């Protein structure tokens, strides 16, 4: 045991009447909703990078957090892992996620990086063998090191593509070894700063090739998890290629990968793309590519990816409504891709941020389940489209321009507009929250 979280108790469900800040008020992991426990529905995951690697820096100032594991040595990487697993235990989160660079010391070259990663993966294996924590997903950090400044797969230099491919292989191997349920590709610098020096067609082809190689290798090693792309429209590059769910789907179709790859949708990225979270989830559900979610929130005034912990139950409700309509998570889960504000210095801040986030997610999921169970919203939505279930509606859909124009003439079709009933629906949703 380290003494980092000393005095912080294991967090338990105590219910709404509890006054204890170190307790769950909504998240009872054993509560059954639609035949599954909340623990099984929500599949909470801690993001290693934000909780253990982020030092509190912002563009105007450096480190504010004082963590005993900061540094680039193997002993410190192991201390960091010790503390991380203590936190998973305090929160009883079933999963975590990591980038290679979060968990291992940075080496001077590929072979040092690989050696460091493998040593840490062995260390993780030992810990996972004696705890309940599993790996939701692993990923490669192909954006922090300066070699990736002009992209990884989309770099103009083939050697950077090669370095990236080799690094992805080590991370996929590591994820496979730890029994990870997914492997994520977020194209951190797959985009451009200026079109003046960018060949977009070529870069798109390179990204497609890389993804095909990843899928081939996944099958070769028998990795049964899902490969997930995480869309984001900008930041760090001015324009990121994996802009949003619709863009990613077009890309997957183009490279024949729409049945191989799904998406990991992040709340804040959806907002940056000018969408709502539920828009992105709903589209992914309809397209059959909803994989997993990165749960967080942005500051709505700043326009940046501020990666704050979620705390808005009405928004979260609409998000989990989509997840439930999709039949729940399969390999995916709720990963808190969220970090403390830089003034939140204390160990207890790390715990309480997650406690609150888990609680609002549980409240949102339960509201969503009530709404789905009641069926009123779905019934009103179905009513709006009821015409399509009639013979006449089907004739129109299966007709052609000529047959339809005869029908309009013969039946004297002259449509009357009907109310979209938006306010009534908004009132209805609020009843479940
Ligand atoms: C950054 C992304 C990143 C991915 C993993 O904006 O959200 O954290 O989730 O590389
Ligand atoms: Ni993310
Ligand atoms: Ni993000």
């Amino acid at each position: 045991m380290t003494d980092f979280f000393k005095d912080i108790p294991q967090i338990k469900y105590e219910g709404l009447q509890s006054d204890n800040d170190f307790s769950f008020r909504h998240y009872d992991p054993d509560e059954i909703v639609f035949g599954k426990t909340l623990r099984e529905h929500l599949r909470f995951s801690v993001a290693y990078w934000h909780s253990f690697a982020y030092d509190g820096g912002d563009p105007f100032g450096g480190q504010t957090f004082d963590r005993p594991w900061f540094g680039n040595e193997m002993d410190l990487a192991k201390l960091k892992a010790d503390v991380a697993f203590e936190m998973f235990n305090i929160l009883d989160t079933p999963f975590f996620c990591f980038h290679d660079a979060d968990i291992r010391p940075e080496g001077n070259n590929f072979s040092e990086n690989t050696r460091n990663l493998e040593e840490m993966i062995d260390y993780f294996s030992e810990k996972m063998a004696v705890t309940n924590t599993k790996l939701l997903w692993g990923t490669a950090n192909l954006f922090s090191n300066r070699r990736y400044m002009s992209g990884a797969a989309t770099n103009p230099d083939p050697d950077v593509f090669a370095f990236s491919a080799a690094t992805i292989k080590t991370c996929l191997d590591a994820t496979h070894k730890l029994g990870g349920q997914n492997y994520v590709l977020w194209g951190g610098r797959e985009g451009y700063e200026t079109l003046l020096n960018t060949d977009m067609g070529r870069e798109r082809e390179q990204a497609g090739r890389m993804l095909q190689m990843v899928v081939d290798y996944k099958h070769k090693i028998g990795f049964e998890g899902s490969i997930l792309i995480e869309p984001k429209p900008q930041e760090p590059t001015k324009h990121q290629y994996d802009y949003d769910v619709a863009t990613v789907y077009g890309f997957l179709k183009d490279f024949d990968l729409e049945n191989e790859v799904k998406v990991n949708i992040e709340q804040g990225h959806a907002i940056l793309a000018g969408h709502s979270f539920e828009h992105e989830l709903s589209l992914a559900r309809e397209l059959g590519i909803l994989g997993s979610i990165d749960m967080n929130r942005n500051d709505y005034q700043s326009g940046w990816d501020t990666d704050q912990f979620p705390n808005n139950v009405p928004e979260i409700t609409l998000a989990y409504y989509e997840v439930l309509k999709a039949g729940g998570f399969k390999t995916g889960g709720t990963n808190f891709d969220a970090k403390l504000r830089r003034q939140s210095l204390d160990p207890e801040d790390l715990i309480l941020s997650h406690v609150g986030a888990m609680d609002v997610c549980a409240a949102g999921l339960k509201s969503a389940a009530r709404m789905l169970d009641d069926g009123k919203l779905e019934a009103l939505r179905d009513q709006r489209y009821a015409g399509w279930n009639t013979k006449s509606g089907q004739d129109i859909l299966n007709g052609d321009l000529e047959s339809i124009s005869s029908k309009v003439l013969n039946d004297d079709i002259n449509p009357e507009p009907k109310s979209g009933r938006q306010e009534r629906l908004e009132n209805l949703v609020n009843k479940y929250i």
Side-chain angles (χ1 to χ4, degrees):
M1 277 288 275
T2 74
D3 62 3
F4 187 71
F5 289 119
K6 58 173 181 297
D7 306 332
I8 297 186
Q10 175 120 32
I11 310 296
K12 299 265 187 259
Y13 170 72
E14 292 180 9
L16 277 178
Q17 72 298 329
S18 173
D19 209 21
N20 176 6
D21 291 347
F22 291 83
S23 75
F24 297 119
R25 292 154 52 80
H26 298 277
Y27 178 58
D28 173 0
D30 298 321
E31 183 177 340
I32 306 277
V33 172
F34 291 152
K36 281 203 293 194
T37 64
L38 285 184
R39 186 183 168 86
E40 291 163 336
H41 270 291
L42 290 157
R43 294 167 63 84
F44 287 131
S45 159
V46 171
Y48 209 92
W49 51 103
H50 284 316
S51 286
F52 308 111
Y54 173 57
D55 67 2
D58 73 7
F60 302 92
Q63 174 178 350
T64 57
F65 300 157
D66 192 13
R67 308 289 194 228
W69 59 84
F70 281 169
N72 200 39
E73 282 99 58
M74 190 52 82
D75 284 353
L76 295 174
K78 289 186 176 164
L79 173 62
K80 171 158 60 167
D82 293 343
V83 173
F85 276 79
E86 284 168 18
M87 184 164 111
F88 307 153
N89 178 52
I90 289 172
L91 295 166
D92 194 22
T93 39
F95 295 103
F96 72 108
C97 296
F98 69 84
H99 304 79
D100 52 351
D102 311 328
I103 67 167
R104 55 131 177 81
E106 187 72 24
N108 290 311
N109 51 39
F110 176 72
S111 74
E112 278 181 30
N113 279 351
T114 308
R115 215 178 318 126
N116 290 348
L117 181 67
E118 284 171 354
E119 185 169 340
M120 286 309 298
I121 293 301
D122 288 342
Y123 197 65
F124 276 50
S125 289
E126 288 166 25
K127 293 189 163 292
M128 288 167 72
V130 295
T131 58
N132 290 327
T133 312
K134 298 195 172 71
L135 179 62
L136 187 64
W137 48 264
T139 187
N141 178 329
L142 305 178
F143 45 88
S144 293
N145 193 286
R146 66 193 286 273
R147 78 174 68 84
Y148 303 116
M149 72 175 191
S150 315
T154 62
N155 201 289
D157 180 353
D159 284 353
V160 179
F161 183 103
F163 200 102
S164 308
T167 301
I168 291 175
K169 179 182 172 298
T170 62
C171 291
L172 200 46
D173 286 337
T175 302
H176 187 38
K177 187 160 183 191
L178 294 181
Q181 313 226 343
N182 308 271
Y183 184 82
V184 164
L185 297 140
W186 170 59
R189 293 192 191 270
E190 314 293 24
Y192 65 79
E193 294 302 329
T194 172
L195 265 184
L196 297 177
N197 66 12
T198 301
D199 183 337
M200 237 201 299
R202 210 191 257 278
E203 295 199 359
R204 194 163 182 278
E205 285 300 317
Q206 290 172 210
R209 270 307 291 144
M210 183 70 91
L211 191 57
Q212 284 166 340
M213 290 181 198
V214 170
V215 168
D216 287 348
Y217 187 65
K218 158 199 162 149
H219 289 303
K220 175 147 194 226
I221 61 175
F223 176 66
E224 286 179 359
S226 311
I227 304 288
L228 307 176
I229 289 187
E230 183 173 323
K232 186 174 182 181
Q234 74 261 340
E235 229 195 293
T237 71
K238 173 196 154 48
H239 181 99
Q240 306 253 144
Y241 294 134
D242 297 329
Y243 196 95
D244 59 3
V245 169
T247 309
V248 169
Y249 189 68
F251 174 81
L252 294 177
K253 279 290 235 194
D254 203 9
F255 291 91
D256 290 327
L257 292 168
E258 73 273 19
N259 299 319
E260 293 282 358
V261 178
K262 295 185 162 59
V263 283
N264 178 42
I265 303 177
E266 178 165 322
Q267 202 275 1
H269 298 182
I271 304 296
L272 286 179
H275 303 305
S276 62
F277 195 21
E278 62 270 22
H279 165 99
E280 290 290 79
L281 293 164
S282 180
L283 183 59
R285 174 177 62 69
E286 295 288 356
L287 296 170
I289 57 168
L290 176 52
S292 195
I293 64 179
D294 270 6
M295 186 54 102
N296 58 18
R297 83 180 201 275
N298 283 353
D299 181 295
Y300 287 142
Q301 283 76 48
S302 77
W304 299 330
D305 188 16
T306 56
D307 286 338
Q308 292 169 241
F309 284 88
N311 77 348
N312 185 324
V313 177
E315 283 183 359
I316 293 169
T317 300
L318 295 178
Y320 281 114
Y321 190 73
E322 295 298 331
V323 172
L324 289 176
K325 272 186 78 175
F329 293 123
K330 311 273 166 350
T331 60
T334 303
N335 175 46
F336 292 117
D337 197 349
K339 60 176 184 252
L340 293 174
R341 299 305 87 189
R342 72 197 297 268
Q343 299 176 51
S344 303
L345 302 178
D346 297 341
E348 70 166 44
D349 293 321
L350 263 178
I351 301 297
L352 292 175
S353 55
H354 284 89
V355 169
M358 291 163 80
D359 245 357
V360 290
C361 287
L365 184 122
K366 287 191 275 186
S367 305
R370 283 195 291 274
M371 190 149 92
L372 198 58
D373 196 35
D374 201 29
K376 268 202 192 128
L377 182 66
E378 288 308 302
L380 287 168
R381 197 197 321 256
D382 287 347
Q383 251 179 39
R384 190 157 180 253
Y385 293 89
W388 289 106
N389 301 331
T390 63
K391 162 133 190 347
S392 172
Q394 284 306 303
D395 287 349
I396 291 167
L397 203 58
N398 299 320
D400 54 33
L401 291 190
E402 287 174 309
S403 68
I404 293 177
S405 37
S406 325
K407 182 176 165 64
V408 172
L409 273 177
N410 295 339
D411 299 359
D412 193 16
I413 291 184
N414 194 11
E416 264 306 309
K418 293 188 191 71
S419 172
R421 305 196 274 203
Q422 180 167 340
E423 295 75 10
R424 175 175 174 183
L425 297 171
E426 287 170 352
N427 297 349
L428 177 64
V429 168
N430 280 340
K431 284 190 200 158
Y432 303 102
I433 291 167

